[in-house]
PDB file of all heavy atoms in Angstrom:
ATOM      1  N   LYS A  48      27.077 -44.466  26.312  1.00 95.00           N
ATOM      2  CA  LYS A  48      25.847 -45.122  25.762  1.00 95.00           C
ATOM      3  C   LYS A  48      26.244 -45.359  24.169  1.00 95.00           C
ATOM      4  O   LYS A  48      26.974 -44.516  23.558  1.00 95.00           O
ATOM      5  CB  LYS A  48      24.664 -44.414  25.854  1.00 95.00           C
ATOM      6  CG  LYS A  48      24.056 -44.244  27.244  1.00 95.00           C
ATOM      7  CD  LYS A  48      22.862 -43.495  27.340  1.00 95.00           C
ATOM      8  CE  LYS A  48      22.137 -43.490  28.710  1.00 95.00           C
ATOM      9  NZ  LYS A  48      21.876 -44.781  29.361  1.00 95.00           N
ATOM     10  N   ILE A  69      13.767 -47.527  10.765  1.00 95.00           N
ATOM     11  CA  ILE A  69      15.211 -48.039  11.065  1.00 95.00           C
ATOM     12  C   ILE A  69      15.584 -47.744  12.522  1.00 95.00           C
ATOM     13  O   ILE A  69      16.320 -48.518  13.053  1.00 95.00           O
ATOM     14  CB  ILE A  69      16.122 -47.292   9.955  1.00 95.00           C
ATOM     15  CG1 ILE A  69      15.751 -47.757   8.651  1.00 95.00           C
ATOM     16  CG2 ILE A  69      17.589 -47.528  10.422  1.00 95.00           C
ATOM     17  CD1 ILE A  69      16.579 -46.941   7.477  1.00 95.00           C
ATOM     18  N   TYR A 102      23.009 -41.851   6.872  1.00 97.00           N
ATOM     19  CA  TYR A 102      22.143 -40.972   6.288  1.00 97.00           C
ATOM     20  C   TYR A 102      21.307 -41.582   5.279  1.00 97.00           C
ATOM     21  O   TYR A 102      21.624 -42.823   4.906  1.00 97.00           O
ATOM     22  CB  TYR A 102      23.046 -39.858   5.578  1.00 97.00           C
ATOM     23  CG  TYR A 102      23.343 -40.248   4.072  1.00 97.00           C
ATOM     24  CD1 TYR A 102      22.699 -39.856   2.992  1.00 97.00           C
ATOM     25  CD2 TYR A 102      24.609 -40.842   3.886  1.00 97.00           C
ATOM     26  CE1 TYR A 102      23.055 -40.293   1.692  1.00 97.00           C
ATOM     27  CE2 TYR A 102      25.148 -41.170   2.669  1.00 97.00           C
ATOM     28  CZ  TYR A 102      24.256 -40.921   1.607  1.00 97.00           C
ATOM     29  OH  TYR A 102      24.704 -41.263   0.303  1.00 97.00           O
ATOM     30  N   MET A 143      35.969 -50.350 -21.294  1.00 75.00           N
ATOM     31  CA  MET A 143      36.319 -51.587 -22.077  1.00 75.00           C
ATOM     32  C   MET A 143      34.928 -51.976 -22.770  1.00 75.00           C
ATOM     33  O   MET A 143      33.873 -51.902 -22.289  1.00 75.00           O
ATOM     34  CB  MET A 143      36.612 -52.708 -21.131  1.00 75.00           C
ATOM     35  CG  MET A 143      37.981 -52.543 -20.357  1.00 75.00           C
ATOM     36  SD  MET A 143      39.366 -52.478 -21.455  1.00 75.00           S
ATOM     37  CE  MET A 143      39.452 -54.311 -21.912  1.00 75.00           C
ATOM     38  N   ILE A 159      33.236 -56.726  -3.596  1.00 95.00           N
ATOM     39  CA  ILE A 159      33.765 -55.754  -2.598  1.00 95.00           C
ATOM     40  C   ILE A 159      32.708 -55.013  -1.876  1.00 95.00           C
ATOM     41  O   ILE A 159      32.699 -54.807  -0.655  1.00 95.00           O
ATOM     42  CB  ILE A 159      34.746 -54.962  -3.252  1.00 95.00           C
ATOM     43  CG1 ILE A 159      35.981 -55.676  -3.843  1.00 95.00           C
ATOM     44  CG2 ILE A 159      35.270 -53.703  -2.316  1.00 95.00           C
ATOM     45  CD1 ILE A 159      36.929 -54.795  -4.517  1.00 95.00           C
ATOM     46  N   TYR A 174       8.275 -47.265 -11.771  1.00 69.00           N
ATOM     47  CA  TYR A 174       7.337 -46.436 -12.391  1.00 69.00           C
ATOM     48  C   TYR A 174       6.575 -47.262 -13.396  1.00 69.00           C
ATOM     49  O   TYR A 174       7.025 -48.118 -14.217  1.00 69.00           O
ATOM     50  CB  TYR A 174       8.002 -45.398 -13.296  1.00 69.00           C
ATOM     51  CG  TYR A 174       8.924 -44.419 -12.411  1.00 69.00           C
ATOM     52  CD1 TYR A 174      10.169 -44.711 -12.094  1.00 69.00           C
ATOM     53  CD2 TYR A 174       8.359 -43.243 -11.857  1.00 69.00           C
ATOM     54  CE1 TYR A 174      10.957 -43.846 -11.313  1.00 69.00           C
ATOM     55  CE2 TYR A 174       9.038 -42.471 -10.906  1.00 69.00           C
ATOM     56  CZ  TYR A 174      10.403 -42.902 -10.644  1.00 69.00           C
ATOM     57  OH  TYR A 174      11.122 -41.922  -9.909  1.00 69.00           O
ATOM     58  N   ARG A 195      11.605 -46.304 -25.557  1.00 83.00           N
ATOM     59  CA  ARG A 195      12.348 -47.004 -26.424  1.00 83.00           C
ATOM     60  C   ARG A 195      11.584 -47.603 -27.710  1.00 83.00           C
ATOM     61  O   ARG A 195      10.359 -48.033 -27.501  1.00 83.00           O
ATOM     62  CB  ARG A 195      12.850 -48.267 -25.663  1.00 83.00           C
ATOM     63  CG  ARG A 195      13.626 -49.356 -26.476  1.00 83.00           C
ATOM     64  CD  ARG A 195      13.676 -50.560 -25.525  1.00 83.00           C
ATOM     65  NE  ARG A 195      14.453 -51.679 -26.187  1.00 83.00           N
ATOM     66  CZ  ARG A 195      14.591 -52.920 -25.809  1.00 83.00           C
ATOM     67  NH1 ARG A 195      13.817 -53.209 -24.694  1.00 83.00           N
ATOM     68  NH2 ARG A 195      15.290 -53.828 -26.329  1.00 83.00           N
ATOM     69  N   HIS A 203      -4.274 -45.887 -33.612  1.00 78.00           N
ATOM     70  CA  HIS A 203      -5.551 -45.981 -34.490  1.00 78.00           C
ATOM     71  C   HIS A 203      -6.539 -45.128 -33.733  1.00 78.00           C
ATOM     72  O   HIS A 203      -6.763 -45.280 -32.464  1.00 78.00           O
ATOM     73  CB  HIS A 203      -6.033 -47.328 -34.487  1.00 78.00           C
ATOM     74  CG  HIS A 203      -7.314 -47.509 -35.314  1.00 78.00           C
ATOM     75  ND1 HIS A 203      -7.422 -47.660 -36.599  1.00 78.00           N
ATOM     76  CD2 HIS A 203      -8.618 -47.492 -34.901  1.00 78.00           C
ATOM     77  CE1 HIS A 203      -8.722 -47.805 -37.050  1.00 78.00           C
ATOM     78  NE2 HIS A 203      -9.411 -47.622 -35.977  1.00 78.00           N
TER      79      HIS A 203
END
Side-chain angles (χ1 to χ4, degrees):
K48 292 184 181 297
I69 293 169
Y102 86 92
M143 296 291 288
I159 294 173
Y174 299 89
R195 177 190 181 193
H203 177 89

